[in-house]
Amino acid sequence: MKLHHIAVAALFAAGMVQNAVAQEGERLPWGALKAGNKDGTIPAWEGGLPASASPAGFKKDSGFWADPYAADKPLYSITAKNMEQYADKLSEATKELLKRNHGFRVDVYPSRRPVNYSQFFIENTKLNAAGRCKTIENGEAVTGCFGGTPFPVPKNGHEAMWNLILVNKGASSWTYGQGWYVDASGNKVMTAEVNNRNQNDYFNATLTAEQFYAKGGQYFMNNNTYTAPARITGEGNLQRKYINPVATPDKTWGYTPGQRRVRLSPDAAYDFPVATAAGAMLYDEIYAFSGKLDRFDWKLVGTKEMIIPYNAYKYLAGKAEDVMTRGAPNPDVMRWELHRVTVVEATLKPGARHVVAKRRFYFDEDNPDAVVVDAWDANGKLSRGTFNPCAWAYDKQAVIHGGTFYFDFGTGAYYNSSILGSYKGLFIATDTVDADAFYSPDGLARRTQR
């Protein structure tokens, strides 16, 4: 039996169910089941957190969000000694960290469902689901989709992946964070301090779907400028990503002070290592997955209950010295919860090249950005893992997306792409820019030259 078939069989043995056809009213507009689970360990969705929520300590547009669940206590903890009891609800990467690091533990808190999307998001999600949104180009692109979840009840792996690619991070944001790398001995180094601005016109409420496509369908524009360490200060890069990357390929530009010019970076894709991650993160692992879908076969496996990082307010406010410990994140700052997830498996196509031969993605049903990824090399050995701990920006009705953890099980090192607590934090929809000028090679040059 081939590795793929073995993996799928194991998933179903571990509690997997295929996406069932729910009765009208059982699903929320974004596709999640409204009801809790039969054990009562996953609650029903009861409206989420209101946009007016203001828990103690919250300061609007401060860069951080106060934890609305700070009074919660862990229900139980999972360690290397008792992990087998929970094995069917843990990702392979989580189990690997528990095996390797006996000080690591998974503290499981009561499950909370804070997601409460805006009316703009919900109305557009309904239009997407009604047939406006379709995959094209063999699933590698979409058309008609705008403003909401593209495929609330995905029918295949491509549709599920577009739900992740087009997740709601808000129409625009500034992220001020630091990238940190920890080697196998526990030595940690700050590899990048970065000002990161995103424009996500897919969620721009001042546009219509027709206007979004008339502007070229750029769903994501991103600019990074580096302020530390000294060796990369003044560098920067720029990305433009398109809703049809087959017709209009994504582009990345880079600026280095030594060359004093902005240049296209054609290698910045797929499994090319990100320089500031010391090899621990690949370009198509940014935001858990970023880039074209063309090198893998994508299979929608089903849904299951999983223990995943969630409501990560404490982690997102943490400083590097609080978060980055030897071998694994500090369990004292991490919060884990039981949630229903959609499972997608990616298998490298015959003849395609990539350091990863198989990936398994787990997306939360309310917030597809709360994702965990397992990855195997060509020998079938677990080689990489990804955790994307998120929280909900209650006042912005969008996801708080901080740094993602990338684990390289071959070296024992790991990397976090953006520790917010060590810098200024995250600001969602706090300003506007002339996007065409700001996200241009000339704009990058103006902001980076020194």
Side-chain angles (χ1 to χ4, degrees), residues 374-385:
D374 298 327
W376 291 263
D377 63 19
N379 296 316
K381 184 177 181 180
L382 184 71
S383 58
R384 310 177 70 82

Side-chain angles (χ1 to χ4, degrees), residues 362-407:
Y362 308 94
F363 314 140
D364 174 57
E365 64 176 337
D366 288 318
N367 170 20
D369 212 23
V371 57
V372 172
V373 187
D374 298 327
W376 291 263
D377 63 19
N379 296 316
K381 184 177 181 180
L382 184 71
S383 58
R384 310 177 70 82
T386 302
F387 297 159
N388 195 24
C390 297
W392 184 247
Y394 24 87
D395 60 323
K396 305 292 185 181
Q397 294 181 291
V399 175
I400 307 170
H401 184 114
T404 304
F405 290 100
Y406 300 91
F407 304 98

Side-chain angles (χ1 to χ4, degrees), residues 270-341:
Y270 300 112
D271 58 354
F272 195 79
V274 176
T276 54
M281 179 174 72
L282 311 175
Y283 265 93
D284 69 0
E285 292 178 327
I286 297 174
Y287 303 116
F289 184 83
S290 178
K292 291 185 68 176
L293 298 167
D294 58 332
R295 293 195 181 180
F296 290 84
D297 291 317
W298 302 89
K299 180 180 177 62
L300 177 62
V301 180
T303 62
K304 66 173 299 185
E305 295 178 1
M306 288 275 292
I307 295 168
I308 58 176
Y310 212 88
N311 287 315
Y313 296 94
K314 188 174 183 180
Y315 151 69
L316 290 165
K319 299 181 183 299
E321 56 265 34
D322 303 322
V323 174
M324 305 297 281
T325 50
R326 180 178 179 176
N330 180 357
D332 292 340
V333 303
M334 298 290 286
R335 176 180 176 125
W336 300 72
E337 298 181 9
L338 181 70
H339 286 269
R340 287 183 289 250
V341 298

Side-chain angles (χ1 to χ4, degrees), residues 32 158 179 183 215 240-241 266 298 308 328 372 378 423 425:
H158 284 99
D183 69 17
K215 286 169 62 69
R240 288 182 175 231
K241 292 185 177 293
W298 302 89
I308 58 176
V372 172
Y423 198 12

Side-chain angles (χ1 to χ4, degrees), residues 51-123:
S52 59
S54 183
F58 173 57
K59 296 180 181 178
K60 190 175 180 65
D61 296 332
S62 65
F64 299 94
W65 281 260
D67 185 352
Y69 309 121
D72 286 354
K73 303 297 182 186
L75 299 172
Y76 54 94
S77 295
I78 303 172
T79 67
K81 291 183 178 179
N82 66 352
M83 60 183 282
E84 290 305 317
Q85 181 181 346
Y86 306 96
D88 65 329
K89 292 183 171 53
L90 298 173
S91 74
E92 296 306 312
T94 307
K95 287 187 275 190
E96 188 69 17
L97 291 179
L98 288 166
K99 290 176 188 173
R100 290 178 177 226
N101 306 286
H102 288 182
F104 183 59
R105 68 180 190 279
V106 171
D107 290 339
V108 183
Y109 287 76
S111 299
R112 305 287 193 178
R113 299 180 68 178
V115 167
N116 177 20
Y117 291 108
S118 68
Q119 200 60 32
F120 168 82
F121 179 96
I122 290 172
E123 292 304 319

